[in-house]
Amino acid sequence: MSISSAIVKSSGLVRALTAKGILDANQLDQLTTEEAQGRSVADWIVNNGVVSAELLASTVAQHFGYPLLDLAQFDEHREGVEADLIQAEKGLEAFVLNRRHGALSVAMADPTDLSTIQQLKFRTQLQVEPVVVEYDKLLSRIEKNDPSQGMDDGLLTDVESESGGSGNEESSPDVDDAPIVRFVQRVLSDALKKGASDIHFEPYEKSYRVRFRIDGVLQETSQPPLAAKSKIAARIKIMSRLNTTETRIPQDGRIRLTLGADERKIDFRVSTLPTLFGEKIVMRLLDSSKSLLKLEQLGFENNQRSAVEKALAKPHGMILVTGPTGSGKTVSLYTFLQMLNNDSINISTVEDPAEINLPGINQVNINERIGLTFAKALRALLRQDPDVIMVGEIRDLETADISIKASQTGHKVLSTLHTNDAVSSIIRLKNMGVETFNIASSVSLIIAQRLVRKLCTCKSPHPQGLQSLVTAGMTKEVPQEDWTPFCAVGCESCNGTGYSGRTGIYEVLPVSEAMQELIITGASALDMERLARQEGIASMSESGLAKIRLGITSTEEILSATKAD
């Protein structure tokens, strides 16, 4: 149910917390803003850090005189409770405990939620006796006991019935539909809890699914009714301030949510795409708190980290980070900027778009529709007395030329390219039309990178031992050292995948004088690759092998990331 001003004012829970001084006037105003839409009062209070779920439950029970129950100690199977009574709780923040003497005992975090109580009375034709429980335990129990993949699908049962049950009829995009609002809110919340980087809403001819990308791998999380696709799309468009009536062309938008007592800002970058059977929507989660890492957290080896620090310490020159989409280039660049950021340096960025807000750094979003391209914004930045410039991506000769000239005139320039390895970046710049002597004199460091999943603590020694490296093609012969590679197993904490979190593997190539000579003479990529190995530069596969040796990841992950033969 959406929180309106009238609901807030009439809520017994809000009045009680206000009377006790727990909820102040400023928070009361926030409760009625657009960002609170689609959430119950209890949900808003707990998830915005006003009070903890435990304190809320004890305060409510004491103030209103309702019994307080630890739901974790209650029998989750609810033996003896009729199926129709359990079905009645679907889509509500309520959990049926038992039936006694013609009344229904129901666990609730907010016993003053008259709407929920009235719906339960209507569905069961029984009196409702609330029992106060902690909000987080209530949600956990609801999701655990819902046979249709947790609360998400249950929230949408009303939508399915509106289409006559066929599942193929389009429903009008009524963005005020409470089940839709709560469903979208729950998907966003679940994505944050599970550490997803992207959310995919995908309509097909006879089905509709939601998938999360977790640690780089897509996982299906729910299958909402097909009839709900238009309403879900409309709800997300409203939240991201897009045109809800336009379904024929792609649109891009953004949602910002503030969570917890620490007011953590979470941005969702929204992209819509018209497909054969409806609009596909992809939302990318941009959590600044997780993206601002220290250099040692990125996964560099000691010698690689030293090379990066040396390049960052230079007053000028270009540092290129290369790799495919999703390889962590942006996080690396922001980490470098955070290291350089201080009151004595002017740092400016040109991005498409700026993914993470960095205090103390001037960030510019390009807008090609009005002519604000990378090149035009970069020219403007050069008139702003910059010390450090970060260019989101070098896409064309004009941008490359301006960036290189900036690095040659006393500026430190950081940017990205889409190439497979470090040496390929040099070839890519040459193919753009950049003169070889300009590349040699301006580029000081090239970093090629990939992200690989880290093994969960449930990992086990590989049954083939070191022979598995030879079988996989990582080495030509069994290493003589005494160590054991690990493989993925799978447990409850990693959802059976065997992996938890990700780290980087890198090829860090400082452009030495010998490399500069090869660049100027137009040497082939093979010649430059050979020189890099002679200078002791570890390839990405070798960097991955070091991670295998440390037990951080598996052989399969490294092979998947590097495509080693």
Side-chain angles (χ1 to χ4, degrees):
M1 177 183 298
S2 300
I3 299 177
S4 67
S5 178
I7 292 175
V8 170
K9 291 178 181 177
S10 63
S11 169
L13 177 59
V14 170
R15 292 201 305 271
L17 295 179
T18 303
K20 288 181 174 292
I22 296 176
L23 192 66
D24 58 34
N26 184 44
Q27 291 167 326
L28 189 60
D29 290 337
Q30 293 180 32
L31 194 53
T32 62
T33 63
E34 182 181 347
E35 291 188 359
Q37 293 295 317
R39 303 164 68 178
S40 67
V41 174
D43 179 50
W44 190 93
I45 289 172
V46 171
N47 284 306
N48 279 273
V50 178
V51 293
S52 66
E54 183 179 4
L55 179 57
L56 176 65
S58 61
T59 302
V60 168
Q62 181 180 12
H63 184 84
F64 295 103
Y66 288 107
L68 179 64
L69 172 69
D70 183 2
L71 201 53
Q73 305 301 319
F74 184 80
D75 179 17
E76 66 184 56
H77 299 295
R78 297 191 284 189
E79 295 178 359
V81 180
E82 296 93 330
D84 60 334
L85 298 182
I86 296 177
Q87 183 71 19
E89 74 190 18
K90 272 185 170 291
L92 303 174
E93 288 184 348
F95 184 81
V96 175
L97 298 171
N98 52 54
R99 175 181 179 176
R100 290 186 301 177
H101 309 300
L104 207 58
S105 181
V106 179
M108 301 178 67
D110 180 8
T112 69
D113 184 356
L114 298 180
S115 174
T116 295
I117 293 174
Q118 288 169 359
Q119 288 189 63
L120 281 171
K121 285 181 178 180
F122 176 80
R123 296 177 184 181
T124 64
Q125 298 299 302
L126 295 171
Q127 291 299 311
V128 174
E129 296 177 350
V131 175
V132 179
V133 295
E134 294 172 30
Y135 183 73
D136 53 355
K137 292 181 180 179
L138 173 64
L139 291 189
S140 177
R141 185 57 61 88
I142 289 171
E143 294 177 1
K144 190 174 182 180
N145 283 269
D146 190 339
S148 58
Q149 299 203 35
M151 198 168 180
D152 291 341
D153 293 340
L155 289 172
L156 294 178
T157 52
D158 293 340
V159 178
E160 190 170 27
S161 65
E162 288 174 3
S163 66
S166 68
N168 292 320
E169 298 175 21
E170 290 283 344
S171 41
S172 61
D174 179 8
V175 296
D176 293 325
D177 193 300
I180 295 293
V181 170
R182 297 179 61 195
F183 171 76
V184 172
Q185 191 71 34
R186 182 56 43 78
V187 169
L188 301 187
S189 177
D190 286 349
L192 289 170
K193 290 177 184 176
K194 295 179 179 179
S197 61
D198 300 88
I199 309 171
H200 291 240
F201 297 84
E202 301 173 315
Y204 298 100
E205 184 177 8
K206 296 181 179 179
S207 64
Y208 187 53
R209 69 178 176 180
V210 178
R211 293 194 291 174
F212 293 166
R213 187 177 294 278
I214 302 174
D215 293 336
V217 179
L218 282 171
Q219 302 174 15
E220 184 174 309
T221 59
S222 63
Q223 289 191 358
L226 184 60
K229 64 182 181 182
S230 296
K231 289 189 175 184
I232 292 173
R235 173 58 187 165
I236 295 172
K237 285 182 173 182
I238 285 291
M239 295 175 70
S240 50
R241 295 178 174 84
L242 298 178
N243 185 351
T244 59
T245 63
E246 181 56 77
T247 61
R248 301 164 299 172
I249 60 174
Q251 296 186 66
D252 295 308
R254 202 178 185 107
I255 302 170
R256 167 165 287 195
L257 298 180
T258 303
L259 302 177
D262 57 351
E263 296 188 344
R264 183 164 60 113
K265 298 287 193 301
I266 306 293
D267 285 336
F268 296 83
R269 199 170 72 195
V270 181
S271 172
T272 72
L273 180 70
T275 67
L276 286 177
F277 304 107
E279 287 184 283
K280 176 182 177 180
I281 297 177
V282 175
M283 306 175 72
R284 169 154 290 188
L285 282 69
L286 307 173
D287 186 351
S288 299
S289 64
K290 291 184 179 180
S291 298
L292 297 180
L293 303 177
K294 295 182 179 179
L295 190 60
E296 55 268 23
Q297 294 176 293
L298 294 179
F300 287 105
E301 306 298 325
N302 290 335
N303 59 334
Q304 293 175 335
R305 187 164 68 245
S306 297
V308 171
E309 290 172 341
K310 184 178 179 180
L312 289 172
K314 292 181 178 179
H316 54 80
M318 177 181 286
I319 298 175
L320 293 174
V321 181
T322 183
T325 301
S327 60
K329 300 187 298 297
T330 300
V331 173
S332 294
L333 286 178
Y334 277 114
T335 301
F336 301 159
L337 291 179
Q338 190 69 7
M339 292 173 61
L340 297 170
N341 190 15
N342 62 62
D343 292 341
S344 64
I345 293 179
N346 177 21
I347 302 177
S348 299
T349 72
V350 185
E351 303 171 73
D352 182 26
E355 295 189 5
I356 302 169
N357 179 30
L358 290 176
I361 293 178
N362 309 290
Q363 297 172 271
V364 177
N365 279 335
I366 72 164
N367 188 341
E368 293 186 353
R369 288 179 297 180
I370 62 172
L372 184 59
T373 61
F374 273 114
K376 191 169 185 178
L378 194 50
R379 285 196 187 92
L381 285 187
L382 290 174
R383 295 191 290 270
Q384 293 279 314
D385 186 30
D387 297 298
V388 178
I389 299 172
M390 193 268 272
V391 183
E393 181 185 349
I394 294 178
R395 297 177 179 175
D396 52 50
L397 175 59
E398 188 178 15
T399 304
D401 190 51
I402 299 172
S403 300
I404 283 177
K405 288 179 179 177
S407 69
Q408 293 172 331
T409 54
H411 305 92
K412 195 192 309 291
V413 179
L414 286 68
S415 191
T416 69
L417 282 172
H418 283 89
T419 59
N420 291 326
D421 53 45
V423 168
S424 296
S425 299
I426 298 171
I427 304 300
R428 171 75 173 136
L429 290 173
K430 287 172 59 178
N431 291 340
M432 281 185 182
V434 181
E435 296 291 346
T436 54
F437 63 86
N438 280 331
I439 299 174
S441 63
S442 60
V443 179
S444 58
L445 184 74
I446 305 173
I447 303 170
Q449 67 177 74
R450 301 288 189 278
L451 290 179
V452 295
R453 292 182 293 174
K454 296 191 294 185
L455 286 167
C456 177
T457 53
C458 64
K459 64 186 179 182
S460 69
H462 200 289
Q464 294 182 13
L466 292 173
Q467 180 62 40
S468 64
L469 301 176
V470 179
T471 304
M474 291 294 296
T475 60
K476 293 182 179 180
E477 56 185 31
V478 177
Q480 298 301 311
E481 299 91 346
D482 184 18
W483 59 278
T484 303
F486 287 83
C487 60
V489 177
C491 64
E492 185 176 346
S493 64
C494 62
N495 296 317
T497 65
Y499 298 93
S500 179
R502 290 194 289 177
T503 189
I505 57 172
Y506 303 90
E507 179 188 6
V508 179
L509 177 65
V511 180
S512 63
E513 290 185 3
M515 186 64 73
Q516 286 177 334
E517 290 179 4
L518 285 185
I519 295 172
I520 292 173
T521 58
S524 67
L526 186 60
D527 291 335
M528 288 187 280
E529 187 81 25
R530 190 179 296 114
L531 176 61
R533 301 299 160 255
Q534 292 173 356
E535 293 180 337
I537 305 302
S539 68
M540 215 169 313
S541 294
E542 291 169 338
S543 177
L545 186 59
K547 293 287 193 300
I548 297 173
R549 181 170 183 163
L550 293 172
I552 295 173
T553 189
S554 67
T555 305
E556 292 76 16
E557 270 297 291
I558 299 302
L559 289 175
S560 175
T562 61
K563 306 297 183 186
D565 295 329

